[in-house]
Amino acid sequence: DTEVTQTPKHLVMGMTNKKSLKCEQHMGHRAMYWYKQKAKKPPELMFVYSYEKLSINESVPSRFSPECPNSSLLNLHLHALQPEDSALYLCASSQDLRPRANVLTFGAGSRLTVL
Amino acid sequence: GIQVEQSPPDLILQEGANSTLRCNFSDSVNNLQWFHQNPWGQLINLFYIPSGTKQNGRLSATTVATERYSLLYISSSQTTDSGVYFCAVPNAGNMLTFGGGTRLMVKP
């Protein structure tokens, strides 16, 4: 079993819906990440939290809103998405952001379909 | 930014065969990770290998940092090895940048 848990595994939503993706880890990691992966492409970084503070936002549209309520949880709030936002959303964590400490552990992903 | 290229893009093997996957990167790195993504999307970290050689069962990896490449060896391949193999190295902001991947299919 993965040590990073993502829910839901699958999500179908309309363009006017509001939904959230959730991610949880209990490894004591202090860095958490959201990646987006389109079919047959590599994962692309969206957001990074370090010690519960937003460290990196890779120019992601505001219809994606991350939240890190505590060191174990990471949410991605979705609102007014477009069909092209359909993708696999991957959460990852690492010990922290130091060069030899950012060894990533990924969750199983949430597969999102926007109708 | 740093460029990461993987080869071959696609590979088909008969069960039991051996293979070598390559990852070239355009700048010096202090971190390199190999991942396997299974057909259901789960990414598993195989190796953290900024330099040298590591082995884990039928898999081994070698990174020659001075020549800017890394190799992943799969021996006695099994159908469960199928999926996509990614290497990733840090960009200028120390965030991992993924190569385009090698899609492996192992046939029984």
Side-chain angles (χ1 to χ4, degrees):
Chain A
D1 286 347
T2 181
E3 297 178 81
V4 177
T5 303
Q6 290 188 242
T7 56
K9 292 193 187 318
H10 300 276
L11 178 63
V12 180
M13 60 185 292
M15 290 189 284
T16 59
N17 293 155
K18 285 185 181 181
K19 298 286 185 182
S20 297
L21 306 181
K22 298 184 183 299
C23 176
E24 187 169 8
Q25 56 88 14
H26 294 288
M27 295 178 284
H29 287 175
R30 303 313 300 268
M32 296 186 76
Y33 310 72
W34 281 115
Y35 281 84
K36 175 181 178 178
Q37 187 179 23
K38 300 284 279 184
K40 299 192 176 183
K41 295 290 187 181
E44 294 181 345
L45 184 64
M46 300 175 72
F47 302 104
V48 180
Y49 274 82
S50 176
Y51 290 84
E52 298 144 59
K53 293 186 177 179
L54 184 63
S55 178
I56 292 176
N57 176 343
E58 292 284 5
S59 303
V60 179
S62 59
R63 57 185 184 269
F64 295 92
S65 175
E67 178 195 22
C68 189
N70 59 56
S71 60
S72 299
L73 294 174
L74 184 66
N75 298 322
L76 185 62
H77 302 299
L78 314 171
H79 174 54
L81 295 192
Q82 304 297 310
E84 59 264 28
D85 296 322
S86 299
L88 181 66
Y89 288 84
L90 293 159
C91 174
S93 69
S94 67
Q95 184 179 345
D96 53 51
L97 295 185
R98 291 173 297 159
R100 290 174 177 76
N102 63 348
V103 177
L104 298 182
T105 299
F106 279 90
S110 293
R111 195 168 296 278
L112 172 68
T113 302
V114 181
L115 301 177
Chain B
I2 193 167
Q3 303 298 312
V4 187
E5 294 185 358
Q6 291 185 241
S7 59
D10 296 281
L11 185 59
I12 300 175
L13 297 176
Q14 207 63 37
E15 199 168 28
N18 303 327
S19 62
T20 301
L21 282 56
R22 187 177 180 100
C23 172
N24 292 333
F25 40 95
S26 59
D27 205 349
S28 59
V29 298
N30 57 14
N31 180 347
L32 186 144
Q33 297 176 38
W34 280 98
F35 296 88
H36 174 225
Q37 188 167 39
N38 68 23
W40 297 272
Q42 173 74 60
L43 269 163
I44 302 296
N45 194 311
L46 299 175
F47 294 102
Y48 164 73
I49 185 163
S51 64
T53 297
K54 288 186 178 180
Q55 180 153 8
N56 184 359
R58 296 181 296 102
L59 302 182
S60 64
T62 295
T63 296
V64 184
T66 53
E67 298 188 20
R68 300 179 185 175
Y69 72 89
S70 183
L71 303 174
L72 179 69
Y73 305 95
I74 305 174
S75 64
S76 303
S77 58
Q78 300 176 358
T79 56
T80 52
D81 295 330
S82 297
V84 184
Y85 290 81
F86 291 104
C87 68
V89 299
N91 59 19
N94 199 38
M95 292 296 107
L96 288 184
T97 296
F98 284 75
T102 292
R103 191 171 302 272
L104 173 64
M105 179 184 297
V106 180
K107 293 187 172 182

